[in-house]
């Protein structure tokens, strides 16, 4: 994935905290014990330390991220005796995972992930990995940002049709998760729910956040040149418009450029569809 600057990311966080606390209530409500917790895509470690660490009884948390700078930041700002920060790209196949991750096989009581799994393209492989890591009866719980339906919007802008349907609709993304979780009967799905959230975001945070949004769309392009050539110029307008103007009858094909030009806009509301999953390893 693209590099996210840890300090930029840390300033984006306040919007996600209600979601995280709801998740903790759901997890504790299952009345299970969670000695070993894995936090996938832990980012700056704030959720690992201050949410999971403080509100879910545990013995150890293994907090995983694929960005060395993010883990460096987490180790400085959110260190804790019970948290081990581990560098690992969770999009890798199981045999290619580090020995540290593989030695957790069948030992994990809770896999938690907050706003990170949208960045990992192969959901089926990811679910297989989670199935390997969890003990029988272990819990997988995640909040996942769904990507907006960019195909539809690009068409309505009257722009040349893309060479292929690069982006999945939210319904398709939900379907991919449903099918991945039901394959091989590894999981009993307790919750697969889409939530609509609206997050007010001030101007500078929006400017900092847009590259993170764009980086999620790059995963569909095997060749980065394809992405740059075909979409880069209008993806920023399209993706921004979809975030701030999701139900408009008339999409605005210059939304991002107009926002940048109008310095009187001090805040925007961004609308996300989040998928919440709770599943039990059988
Ligand atoms: C939006 S942040 C969320 C961080 C944290 N979970 C939170 O809620 O504050 C997404 C994180 O997922 C991590 N990530 C993305 N792809 C990943 C992958 N393939 N393996 C591990 N971590 C990944 C990113 O580096 C980033 O730190």
């Amino acid at each position: 994935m693209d590099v996210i600057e840890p300090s930029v990311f840390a300033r984006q966080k306040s919007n996600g905290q209600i979601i995280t606390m709801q998740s903790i209530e759901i997890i504790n409500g299952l009345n299970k014990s969670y000695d070993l917790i894995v936090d996938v895509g832990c980012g700056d470690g704030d959720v690992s330390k201050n949410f999971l660490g403080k509100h879910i009884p545990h013995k150890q948390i293994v907090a995983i991220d694929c960005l060395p700078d993010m883990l460096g930041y987490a180790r400085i700002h959110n260190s804790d005796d019970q948290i081990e920060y581990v560098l690992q790209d969770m999009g890798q196949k199981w045999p290619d995972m580090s020995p540290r991750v593989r030695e957790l096989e069948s030992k994990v009581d809770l896999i938690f992930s907050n706003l990170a799994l949208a960045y990992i393209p192969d959901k089926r492989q990811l679910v297989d990995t989670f199935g390997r890591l969890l003990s029988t009866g272990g819990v997988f719980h995640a909040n996942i940002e769904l990507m907006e339906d960019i195909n539809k919007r690009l068409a309505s802008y009257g722009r040349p049709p893309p060479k292929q349907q690069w982006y999945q609709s939210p319904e398709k993304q939900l379907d991919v998760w449903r099918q991945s979780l039901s394959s091989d009967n590894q999981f009993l799905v307790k919750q697969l729910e889409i939530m609509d959230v609206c997050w007010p975001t001030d101007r500078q945070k929006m400017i900092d956040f847009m590259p993170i949004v764009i980086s999620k769309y790059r995963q569909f392009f095997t060749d980065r040149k394809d992405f740059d050539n075909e979409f880069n110029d209008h993806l920023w307008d399209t993706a921004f418009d979809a975030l701030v103007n999701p139900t408009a009858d008339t999409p605005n094909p210059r939304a991002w450029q107009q926002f940048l030009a109008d310095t009187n806009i001090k805040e925007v509301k961004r609308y996300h569809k989040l998928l919440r999953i709770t599943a039990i390893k059988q």
Side-chain angles (χ1 to χ4, degrees), residues 56-92:
I56 301 182
H58 64 280
K59 289 190 178 144
Q60 193 191 4
I61 297 176
V62 177
I64 298 177
D65 206 279
C66 62
L67 294 181
D69 285 357
M70 202 63 97
L71 288 178
Y73 185 98
R75 288 187 184 112
I76 293 170
H77 296 276
N78 286 308
S79 78
D80 187 285
D81 288 349
Q82 285 170 305
I83 302 180
E84 179 188 0
Y85 288 105
V86 171
L87 181 67
Q88 175 67 61
D89 175 355
M90 291 301 286
Q92 304 253 302

Side-chain angles (χ1 to χ4, degrees), residues 163 166 221-231:
K163 278 196 211 133
W166 294 108
F221 296 81
T222 42
D223 184 344
R224 188 158 178 150
K225 267 197 237 115
D226 270 348
F227 175 82
D228 289 341
N229 293 340
E230 195 160 354
F231 281 102

